[in-house]
Amino acid sequence: MADGDGLGEAATAAASFPAPAPGLSPPLGWRERLRAGLAGTGASLWFVAGLGLLYALRVPLRLCENLAAVTVFLNSLTPKFYVALTGTSSLISGLIFIFEWWYFHKHGTSFIEQVSVSHLRPLMGGTEGSISEPGSPSSSRESETSRQNLSVMQKAWRERNPPARIKAAYQALELNNDCATAYVLLAEEEATTIVDAERLFKQALKAGETIYRRSQQCQHQSPQHEAQLRRDTNVLVYIKRRLAMCARKLGRIREAVKIMRDLMKEFPPLTMLNIHENLLESLLELQAYADVQAVLAKYDDISLPKSAAICYTAALLKTRTVSDKFSPETASRRGLSTAEINAVEAIHRAVEFNPHVPKYLLEMKSLILPPEHILKRGDSEAIAYAFFHLQHWKRIEGALNLLQCTWEGTFRMIPYPLEKGHLFYPYPSCTETADRELLPPFHHVSVYPKKELPFFIHFTAGLCSSTAMIALLTHQFPEIMGVFAKAVSMISRTCAEYL
């Protein structure tokens, strides 16, 4: 399944089960709000009562004398004590660091985090089911089996070794055959073909729908149940989206489009899953350009986050109307028409958002498989977009020709320095470092193009420096420079007479 997810799948690979979308569940009832308010008021009252008790007992406890004694003791300490104290603290912290590093590399998790989650959270009033983890199949009355299943899936999602992850998923299924996230993990990790992955995702869908209906019935009982409903909703949407991508890769494109449209209609707040980007790619494959334009009209909005898929698809649609008749020679003679100007401006907008894409679309750089995670506006996003959308650009006659003739003009429009930005926020300077971590070592990472200084800037800078150096040398060594000047003039005269 590594190569069957589309650009939207790569864009959300960094968080397979995203955070709950705000506004998905109904607001808290008056009972929950009253309970929360009383809890906050009670804590404040306890704090005020403690301060009052301490003030009332200040004389019996002799707080003033004890505080003065502590102050005298601290003032009497020598610098050697502080040196010994800091040295001991450094030694202990170093030992803790070495142990944490060893434990993380051996078990894939932090020892302190694991202890705090497993032992301290219940003591502080939390429950294990309140942890926002993808494998959290809690219900209104958790049994011992479900808690064990929860623990197994938490370890499975945190495990760094794939065979251990698969083994943990099978253990979770032995405890609970309706563990949706266990089927998801097996489909992602163990399935070798898209058909096998689709079969496992269908089993996950059946289990996920059961858990989702159960969560819907209990959502008003407590805030924990509402949080559980949001998590179960994210899992269900993720499974359906993966089934849509399986159908897309197996050639059942209309079925994939229907699943995506239903998801976007049923769960409109979950835009962070980028389902619309998968839908755009599927509609382009069907050559349903009117439907593509309708999707862009909804999601290519100034208030919504942008991506290479949105910007370059918008440019592709405008290019499609003029690319078959576009000629650079004709355009230079008669000028650009209104439609051509709109297409060029759309290309400039897309290139400013991600300047790395054109080199892959024009095959100036070799394509590689998209990485598991991508960075918006980075080289990794450009690779993912070009990998799945290059065929759509080639299908439209003249589209790549128009892109080749106009994309470099973007950098003449952006104010200098380039980082200042024009239509979007300034280009982030951290993308190169992040892309080097995401992409394989053999790939030459594309960096943001730098505007070259004009020739005359270099020429005048060299001329100014050379004349200043000659003036300095003439001031320090007038006789030597006089001889040197006569020799140069004589050689110049000889060369001129020879020519």
Side-chain angles (χ1 to χ4, degrees), residues 125-342:
T127 60
E128 208 171 11
S130 63
I131 302 172
S132 178
E133 192 68 19
S136 297
S138 61
S139 62
S140 59
R141 294 180 295 272
E142 283 192 347
S143 63
E144 183 65 26
T145 302
S146 63
R147 286 195 294 270
Q148 292 177 1
N149 185 74
L150 169 65
S151 177
V152 170
M153 284 310 300
Q154 285 177 345
K155 293 179 181 178
W157 288 115
R158 293 171 178 170
E159 180 61 54
R160 303 178 68 188
N161 187 17
R165 291 160 67 92
I166 294 173
K167 182 179 178 181
Y170 278 115
Q171 291 177 358
L173 290 176
E174 291 177 0
L175 296 171
N176 180 11
N177 196 38
D178 288 334
C179 183
T181 50
Y183 288 115
V184 170
L185 192 149
L186 292 177
E188 300 280 1
E189 302 283 346
E190 191 181 39
T192 56
T193 64
I194 299 178
V195 176
D196 294 338
E198 185 181 36
R199 175 180 55 82
L200 289 169
F201 277 123
K202 287 182 178 179
Q203 293 178 276
L205 177 63
K206 182 179 179 181
E209 288 178 339
T210 302
I211 299 173
Y212 177 71
R213 286 193 296 269
R214 190 186 307 154
S215 298
Q216 277 185 316
Q217 297 173 359
C218 306
Q219 62 175 313
H220 300 294
Q221 294 183 5
S222 67
Q224 288 77 15
H225 287 90
E226 293 183 358
Q228 180 62 41
L229 175 63
R230 289 193 293 267
R231 289 194 294 271
D232 293 338
T233 301
N234 289 334
V235 173
L236 182 63
V237 172
Y238 180 83
I239 294 171
K240 289 185 176 182
R241 177 168 170 267
R242 297 291 279 167
L243 281 172
M245 295 313 302
C246 289
R248 162 69 181 91
K249 289 302 177 182
L250 292 174
R252 305 196 304 270
I253 305 176
R254 296 190 182 278
E255 177 185 344
V257 169
K258 183 179 183 305
I259 296 175
M260 295 176 194
R261 287 189 185 278
D262 292 342
L263 279 176
M264 294 166 60
K265 187 181 301 182
E266 187 176 0
F267 304 101
L270 297 181
T271 55
M272 77 287 291
L273 285 174
N274 296 324
I275 301 174
H276 56 281
E277 295 185 11
N278 297 121
L279 179 61
L280 286 174
E281 197 278 328
S282 300
L283 291 174
L284 286 173
E285 182 64 22
L286 292 174
Q287 301 185 38
Y289 297 112
D291 294 336
V292 174
Q293 185 61 55
V295 175
L296 286 176
K298 182 178 181 180
Y299 290 97
D300 192 7
D301 187 81
I302 191 172
S303 61
L304 296 177
K306 299 296 182 292
S307 66
I310 291 177
C311 294
Y312 278 90
T313 301
L316 178 62
L317 290 188
K318 293 185 178 180
T319 300
R320 173 176 168 269
T321 60
V322 298
S323 60
D324 56 338
K325 301 177 182 178
F326 177 79
S327 172
E329 294 79 11
T330 306
S332 61
R333 288 198 305 269
R334 61 171 173 80
L336 296 175
S337 63
T338 303
E340 290 173 340
I341 291 175
N342 293 335

Side-chain angles (χ1 to χ4, degrees), residues 375 378-380 430-439 445-446:
L375 180 69
D379 193 28
S380 53
C430 61
T431 55
E432 181 180 355
T433 303
D435 279 329
R436 291 190 189 279
E437 297 179 359
L438 296 172
L439 297 169
V445 176
S446 178

